[in-house]
Amino acid sequence: MAAARAPASFHRCLTVLFVLVAVALLLSACCAEGAAAAGGKATPRRRQLLRQRQVDYHLRRLNKPPVASIESPDGDIIDCVPISSQPAFDHPFLKDHTIQTRPAYHPEGLYDESKAASSQKDKQKITQMWHQNGMCQENTIPIRRTKKEDVLRASSVKRYGKKMHKSTPNPSSIEPDMLNESGHQHAIAYVEGDKYYGAKATINVWQPSIQQGNEFSLSQLWILGGSFGQDLNSIEAGWQVSPDLYGDNNTRLFTYWTSDAYQATGCYNLLCSGFIQTNNQIAMGASIFPISNYGGSQYDINILVWKDPKEGNWWLQFGNDYVLGYWPSFLFSYLADSASMIEWGGEVVNTEPDGSHTSTQMGSGHFPEEGFGKSSYFKNIQVVDSTNNLKAPRGIGSYTEQSNCYDVQNGNNGDWGTYFYYGGPGKNPNCP
Ligand SMILES: *[C@@H]1O[C@H](CO)[C@@H](O)[C@H](O)[C@H]1NC(C)=O
Ligand SMILES: *[C@@H]1O[C@H](CO)[C@@H](O)[C@H](O)[C@H]1NC(C)=O
């Protein structure tokens, strides 16, 4: 009897074994995601699935449901998002925030320039490329849609929309070696030693060429508070070319902010919660045109950042007509009161190793000596004082790490007020 039963139980055993193996195979094939979440082994496929999920989650958070979408000739999609569903309101401190539709105060002197602008009305005004195909309606704001490729180009999903590392050295105190190590190169003018409540400049617009995809070239102003240690506060705005961030070489309007020296807080444009946009005509991170030509037509943009003395918010204005929105003062520590330093100028990233230099251009790619129409400029440089007045900066200094690669030259005259030419080609016989 025992001998007769043996084959039956042997078969049962085989069947059970077969079912178990089949189930195991099925699990590993179709449910890798579940197994991964349960803490399975880190296979390449699991990593890929996790990243996929992270990217999708990030895209859902960044791209709010639009009421309309506009396709720009440069390939961007501009989403018109209800003003109250913009990314800023994901911030826990902004849950019950009442949007300030306009600043309580403009700095005095602001509107003087509308006269200057109308005197050259024959000249084409700088605008954004997507305007060719439509505009966003009232009570919405235009947001450049983040595409999957944009996030996938970043070194990690978490770093998407953030600067690579500390980028603004204190001209007087940073170790020169650290600058070479970080690869960030500047040609800037600056003021310090007072309390500043804003800054303004007219910035010449160019399209510098970028040698490596992970390098960038930008021209901007910095509103800085605190030391250059771990808790640096910075508000930044200007134009940039950044293939890594945008996937092309277009010149784009951008902003940045951080309250901890580019570590955990802050980002470009609206790529995190913080900046509250109120304007329905200008999209942060969108391409601007026309661009200046070497020896030909010159174009420039006005950027003004100032602190509203009533509410304490830092407002941003682009051109003479567009008040774009504000950074609430609670985002910052030092800048909650005032700025201690202002910088204006160019910055590039050099990723070439071993002391060799990138050929990524700054400004027009030409040195200050070449002057108007050839070298890039900042003009009508002003600061906002404690009485909310725009005035010429006093005691302006300049700084560059390697003047043979990128240089800066200050000047002053009746037409342009305080100005400087800046930039250069990077790699050249004197900057190997
Ligand atoms: C940007 O310009 C560089 C150098 O001119 C070129 O090699 C690269 O292909 C361009 N990148 C894109 C995304 O068009
Ligand atoms: C930084 O690097 C450049 C190029 O390699 C070199 O010429 C320069 O001396 C370096 N500066 C310092 C302060 O080490």
Side-chain angles (χ1 to χ4, degrees), residues 219-280:
S219 297
Q220 62 167 81
L221 51 81
W222 287 259
I223 310 278
L224 297 163
S227 65
F228 283 79
Q230 299 295 296
D231 54 359
L232 177 76
N233 286 196
S234 185
I235 288 177
E236 308 172 16
W239 59 257
Q240 70 179 162
V241 177
S242 177
D244 215 22
L245 192 57
Y246 304 106
D248 62 22
N249 289 317
N250 289 351
T251 302
R252 293 163 178 278
L253 175 72
F254 84 98
T255 61
Y256 199 90
W257 70 273
T258 178
S259 60
D260 63 353
Y262 310 96
Q263 297 174 75
T265 62
C267 60
Y268 283 109
N269 307 327
L270 299 180
L271 295 173
C272 62
S273 57
F275 186 83
I276 298 172
Q277 182 159 341
T278 54
N279 182 285
N280 68 340

Side-chain angles (χ1 to χ4, degrees), residues 175-181 185 350 354-357 401-402 405 430-432:
E175 291 288 316
D177 292 0
M178 279 176 59
L179 296 169
N180 273 0
E181 192 186 345
Q185 304 238 290
N350 175 22
D354 309 326
S356 54
H357 210 283
E401 286 91 1
Q402 288 176 268
C405 307
N430 296 320
C431 166

Side-chain angles (χ1 to χ4, degrees), residues 10-336:
F10 180 68
H11 274 125
R12 249 197 327 270
C13 257
L14 265 185
T15 310
V16 166
L17 208 73
F18 178 79
V19 167
L20 276 176
V21 166
V23 165
L25 277 173
L26 261 169
L27 269 174
S28 69
C30 79
C31 310
E33 224 180 323
K41 221 170 130 199
T43 62
R45 178 165 163 72
R46 178 189 171 227
R47 272 198 300 274
Q48 195 190 334
L49 280 164
L50 276 175
R51 186 160 159 86
Q52 187 71 48
R53 250 202 236 161
Q54 252 184 331
V55 170
D56 289 344
Y57 173 76
H58 209 66
L59 287 173
R60 271 199 306 278
R61 245 182 11 165
L62 287 174
N63 296 324
K64 305 299 184 191
V67 297
S69 295
I70 295 157
E71 208 168 318
S72 172
D74 63 0
D76 277 4
I77 308 222
I78 303 296
D79 285 327
C80 305
V81 171
I83 189 166
S84 55
S85 5
Q86 63 181 297
F89 297 110
D90 292 340
H91 198 293
F93 286 13
L94 289 171
K95 280 276 179 287
D96 303 313
H97 182 78
T98 308
I99 300 175
Q100 309 285 302
T101 51
R102 51 174 52 228
Y105 294 95
H106 263 111
E108 288 298 323
L110 181 67
Y111 289 113
D112 296 348
E113 267 152 24
S114 52
K115 286 189 214 116
S118 62
S119 73
Q120 41 174 302
K121 57 177 171 290
D122 47 321
K123 200 166 134 182
Q124 196 180 351
K125 253 173 112 179
I126 286 215
T127 178
Q128 289 194 311
M129 227 171 250
W130 64 275
H131 290 176
Q132 293 170 29
N133 291 341
M135 293 300 281
C136 285
Q137 65 209 71
E138 297 250 323
N139 295 314
T140 68
I141 63 161
I143 304 184
R144 178 184 183 270
R145 187 185 299 175
T146 299
K147 296 176 179 167
K148 192 170 265 179
E149 310 90 82
D150 293 332
V151 182
L152 291 176
R153 271 193 312 274
S155 59
S156 79
V157 175
K158 274 199 184 123
R159 293 304 300 170
Y160 172 67
K162 291 181 184 290
K163 273 198 185 174
M164 282 187 275
H165 33 68
K166 191 171 100 163
S167 78
T168 312
N170 182 338
S172 51
S173 74
I174 199 154
E175 291 288 316
D177 292 0
M178 279 176 59
L179 296 169
N180 273 0
E181 192 186 345
S182 76
H184 287 243
Q185 304 238 290
H186 306 79
I188 57 172
Y190 65 94
V191 286
E192 59 184 337
D194 206 345
K195 285 189 167 191
Y196 306 100
Y197 295 83
K200 183 172 186 185
T202 300
I203 312 176
N204 200 192
V205 177
W206 292 85
Q207 186 178 18
S209 85
I210 311 295
Q211 185 188 300
Q212 304 273 1
N214 56 353
E215 297 178 334
F216 64 65
S217 181
L218 55 75
S219 297
Q220 62 167 81
L221 51 81
W222 287 259
I223 310 278
L224 297 163
S227 65
F228 283 79
Q230 299 295 296
D231 54 359
L232 177 76
N233 286 196
S234 185
I235 288 177
E236 308 172 16
W239 59 257
Q240 70 179 162
V241 177
S242 177
D244 215 22
L245 192 57
Y246 304 106
D248 62 22
N249 289 317
N250 289 351
T251 302
R252 293 163 178 278
L253 175 72
F254 84 98
T255 61
Y256 199 90
W257 70 273
T258 178
S259 60
D260 63 353
Y262 310 96
Q263 297 174 75
T265 62
C267 60
Y268 283 109
N269 307 327
L270 299 180
L271 295 173
C272 62
S273 57
F275 186 83
I276 298 172
Q277 182 159 341
T278 54
N279 182 285
N280 68 340
Q281 295 172 293
I282 299 295
M284 309 271 225
S287 305
I288 51 180
F289 84 99
I291 304 295
S292 305
N293 293 307
Y294 184 76
S297 303
Q298 298 302 301
Y299 298 95
D300 50 40
I301 55 173
N302 279 330
I303 297 281
L304 166 66
V305 176
W306 80 102
K307 192 172 171 65
D308 181 344
K310 186 155 175 274
E311 306 286 343
N313 302 318
W314 288 92
W315 284 81
L316 169 67
Q317 179 169 304
F318 170 68
N320 294 319
D321 307 321
Y322 305 112
V323 173
L324 299 192
Y326 58 94
W327 290 271
S329 120
F330 77 79
L331 294 173
F332 304 102
S333 50
Y334 298 102
L335 287 178

